[in-house]
């Protein structure tokens, strides 16, 4: 089944103050993404702190997102955390059993940095052979290292009919164009992780975008996609994209702690607890994040897109920047 085009946030995982998975917070977060206009959700990903969770927690988080999405939007989730094909196949089946629409393979988990793309294709073939008809996807995750795919390999993957989702992290307009052309007219969709090249990738035929900044404010990204689909790269779309590109430079700092803090400031009832080590945010960076909030609110006012969360919605969290 071909996945929908549009906005696919890479989901955060809320944790309680005692560092347990916050299931109530996860439900609120899932509703927030859907209410903000997300077309699909990528659970159990790098932004979810997947490497800091146990296997049981990965399955729990994924199953809960599938449950709360309730078929309103499709959900995909990572299924490879080992160099062993056998171990990966076993977990791919477990993740698939949660009800996801596709199980995502991390390219850099399948082969060592010094192994060629021929080895990667062999591992992919082994996974295909041992997972029946489980729908799959790939993510050029930067951890443990960034492993980019060639257009030739992506064309082969599209021809298998098993791959539905590709999260691209090349951050290069030309590379994205070649990949998009390689999988054109197939069920294999490309979603760009990079804000800066977002419009270029859409021009090239990408199916959508999946930037981490959508964890702070998905609304302007959904608005950008809607306006682009209607009017192309007109003046408003170009101006909005320019602002999002500049704002994107701030969102990568102190991540994912900063994203949770930003959502908390927006009124979402979650804690800022993370398992990814994070330094104390100095005052100058707190001012930058306050400026980010001001810029976001200014964009909403300027372009007229509605905000899902208002500060008064959840009044019992009062953490201040």
């Amino acid at each position: 089944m071909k996945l929908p085009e549009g906005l696919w946030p890479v989901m955060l995982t809320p944790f309680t103050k005692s560092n347990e998975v916050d299931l109530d917070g996860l439900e609120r977060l899932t509703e927030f993404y859907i209410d903000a206009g997300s077309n699909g959700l990528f659970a159990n990903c790098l932004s979810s702190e997947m490497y800091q969770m146990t296997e049981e927690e990965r399955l729990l988080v994924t199953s809960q997102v599938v449950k709360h999405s309730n078929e309103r939007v499709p959900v995909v989730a990572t299924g490879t955390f080992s160099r062993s094909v056998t171990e990966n196949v076993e977990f791919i089946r477990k993740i698939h059993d949660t009800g996801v629409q596709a199980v995502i393979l991390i390219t850099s988990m399948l082969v060592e940095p010094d192994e060629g793309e021929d080895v990667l294709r062999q591992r992919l073939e082994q996974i295909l052979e041992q997972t029946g008809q489980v729908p799959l996807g790939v993510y050029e995750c930067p951890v443990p290292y960034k492993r980019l795919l060639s257009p030739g390999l992506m064309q082969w993957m599209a021809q298998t009919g098993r791959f539905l989702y590709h999260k691209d992290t090349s951050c290069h307009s030309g590379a994205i164009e070649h990949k998009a052309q390689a999988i054109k007219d197939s069920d294999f969709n490309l979603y760009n992780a990079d804000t800066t090249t977002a419009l270029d990738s859409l021009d090239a035929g990408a199916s959508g975008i999946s930037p981490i900044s959508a964890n702070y404010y998905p609304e302007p990204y959904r608005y950008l996609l809607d306006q682009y689909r209607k009017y192309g790269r007109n003046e408003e779309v170009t101006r909005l994209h320019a602002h999002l590109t500049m704002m994107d430079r701030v969102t990568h700092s102190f991540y994912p702690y900063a994203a949770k803090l930003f959502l908390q400031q927006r009124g979402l009832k979650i804690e800022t607890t993370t398992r990814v080590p994070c330094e104390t945010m100095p005052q100058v960076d707190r001012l930058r994040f306050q400026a980010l909030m001001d810029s976001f609110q200014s964009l909403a006012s300027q372009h007229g897109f509605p905000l899902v969360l208002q500060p008064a919605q959840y009044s019992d969290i009062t953490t201040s920047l």
Side-chain angles (χ1 to χ4, degrees), residues 128-177:
L128 288 172
E129 291 171 359
Q130 297 178 44
T131 53
Q133 293 302 310
V134 173
L136 301 172
V138 284
Y139 171 21
E140 296 170 333
C141 183
V143 180
Y145 71 96
K146 184 182 284 193
R147 181 78 181 221
L148 301 178
L149 301 177
S150 72
L153 184 60
M154 288 191 61
Q155 184 177 48
W156 169 80
M157 294 166 74
Q159 291 170 349
T160 69
R162 290 282 300 281
F163 290 91
L164 303 180
Y165 181 100
H166 169 67
K167 182 176 179 182
D168 193 274
T169 65
S170 62
C171 305
H172 189 284
S173 300
I176 294 171
E177 181 178 5

Side-chain angles (χ1 to χ4, degrees), residues 6-12 29-30 32-42 47 167 192-195 208-225 244 247-248 251-252 255 259-260 262-263 266 268 292 296 308-309:
L7 178 64
W8 283 70
V10 280
M11 292 187 66
L12 301 169
L29 183 64
T30 303
F32 164 68
Y33 287 129
I34 294 174
D35 290 345
S38 299
N39 302 100
L41 297 173
F42 188 173
S47 291
K167 182 176 179 182
N192 185 9
D194 180 46
T195 295
I209 53 177
S210 185
I212 69 167
S213 293
N215 279 322
Y216 294 76
Y217 35 77
E219 298 98 329
Y221 282 100
R222 176 56 192 265
Y223 182 79
L224 178 77
L225 286 165
L244 291 174
M247 292 163 63
D248 187 66
T251 61
H252 291 251
Y255 187 78
K260 295 180 180 181
F262 195 90
L263 289 178
R266 290 195 57 187
L268 185 64
L292 182 69
F296 162 61
V308 174
L309 288 175

Side-chain angles (χ1 to χ4, degrees), residues 80-114:
T80 52
F81 293 90
S82 171
R83 295 285 191 219
S84 165
V85 171
T86 300
E87 291 179 6
N88 283 331
V89 166
E90 181 180 354
F91 193 65
I92 286 169
R93 290 171 177 161
K94 290 180 180 179
I95 284 288
H96 180 248
D97 287 344
T98 66
V100 297
Q101 272 63 49
V103 181
I104 308 303
L105 316 180
I106 303 299
T107 56
S108 57
M109 287 300 301
L110 302 182
V111 289
E112 299 289 350
D114 60 348

Side-chain angles (χ1 to χ4, degrees), residues 226-267:
D226 289 345
Q227 295 301 106
Y228 174 85
R229 296 300 185 196
K230 290 180 181 178
Y231 308 112
R233 293 178 76 156
N234 64 9
E235 182 178 350
E236 181 186 14
V237 167
T238 301
R239 185 171 63 250
L240 174 58
H241 177 249
H243 281 109
L244 291 174
T245 297
M246 290 185 290
M247 292 163 63
D248 187 66
R249 300 299 298 174
V250 180
T251 61
H252 291 251
S253 300
F254 301 93
Y255 187 78
Y257 164 78
K260 295 180 180 181
L261 179 60
F262 195 90
L263 289 178
Q264 194 183 78
Q265 288 296 305
R266 290 195 57 187

